Amino acid sequence: MFSFSVKDVAFIALDSMKTKWSLGLLGCLLLFLFSCDKTEQKPIDEAKTLFTLVDPKDSGIHFSNTLKETAKENHLVNENFVTGAGVAIGDINNDGLPDIYFSGNQVHDKLYLNKGDMLFEDVTDTAGILKSDSWSTGVTFADVNGDGFQDIYICKNEQGNRDKSANLLYINSGKGTFHKWLRIMV
């Protein structure tokens, strides 16, 4: 008959834990060593890609919705901080080319007119789009008044400031300018 003391049981349990720990560590080490792929990365076959990166110098599009967190403006205080803004693509001057509107959070919105051959012109100022310090959360093109020209609807949301949260509707004059027609409080 075997008899074990508490001291013997504790030693056997500790020894068993060391063995399990050692085996676990050995398993992780082996996994790490054999999971590393030593083959060389193959270059991307340009013929098989659907998109090509276009340099801003070549396209004329200089927009970045850069966010800077502060004590007053961050993802903990404002749940919409990381939801982004929006992009609308449509033909604002009926020339058959898709134009682009970028809405910004902490940066000003931008409207780009497509000149063809992937070249765009920033027409934000000449089109009459106001540079506001309010937070844009989305944008869409739609012919609201049925005149055949795409109008612009911009969603706004300023955390803790209802006055700056009014959505904006810009009516397209058909002559390259927009008129702020309506502020919509939601």
Side-chain angles (χ1 to χ4, degrees), residues 4-184:
F4 295 103
S5 68
V6 175
K7 185 178 176 183
D8 292 332
V9 172
F11 178 74
I12 292 169
L14 183 61
D15 192 43
S16 174
M17 285 175 46
K18 285 182 184 177
T19 303
K20 287 180 183 177
W21 179 258
S22 298
L23 287 175
L25 187 58
L26 179 63
C28 286
L29 181 62
L30 290 173
L31 182 66
F32 175 73
L33 289 175
F34 290 107
S35 67
C36 295
D37 186 8
K38 293 177 177 61
T39 59
E40 203 172 302
Q41 292 287 331
K42 295 181 182 179
I44 296 172
D45 183 359
E46 293 294 326
K48 293 181 181 178
T49 61
L50 297 176
F51 298 98
T52 304
L53 184 62
V54 178
D55 193 290
K57 292 182 294 190
D58 297 329
S59 69
I61 296 177
H62 300 277
F63 181 84
S64 178
N65 188 32
T66 305
L67 299 176
K68 293 180 182 151
E69 291 193 69
T70 64
K72 290 183 177 182
E73 214 169 58
N74 60 65
H75 69 282
L76 296 174
V77 175
N78 180 358
E79 63 190 23
N80 294 320
F81 192 83
V82 293
T83 60
V87 177
I89 298 176
D91 186 3
I92 61 170
N93 59 351
N94 293 342
D95 65 355
L97 299 172
D99 307 306
I100 305 174
Y101 189 103
F102 293 99
S103 62
N105 298 137
Q106 294 176 327
V107 298
H108 297 297
D109 297 359
K110 295 266 187 168
L111 176 61
Y112 288 93
L113 188 66
N114 191 337
K115 303 301 249 176
D117 295 323
M118 289 300 293
L119 181 62
F120 292 83
E121 178 186 354
D122 182 352
V123 294
T124 309
D125 294 333
T126 58
I129 305 299
L130 299 176
K131 290 184 177 177
S132 69
D133 291 330
S134 62
W135 193 280
S136 295
T137 58
V139 61
T140 191
F141 288 130
D143 184 9
V144 175
N145 58 356
D147 65 354
F149 290 96
Q150 296 293 304
D151 306 307
I152 304 171
Y153 186 79
I154 306 162
C155 297
K156 298 285 192 176
N157 183 11
E158 187 76 21
Q159 183 73 14
N161 190 341
R162 188 157 164 77
D163 290 337
K164 285 187 173 183
S165 295
N167 295 342
L168 301 175
L169 175 62
Y170 285 96
I171 299 297
N172 189 338
S173 70
K175 299 174 186 166
T177 59
F178 290 83
H179 306 286
K180 186 170 84 166
W181 186 65
L182 192 57
R183 288 184 67 216
I184 304 166

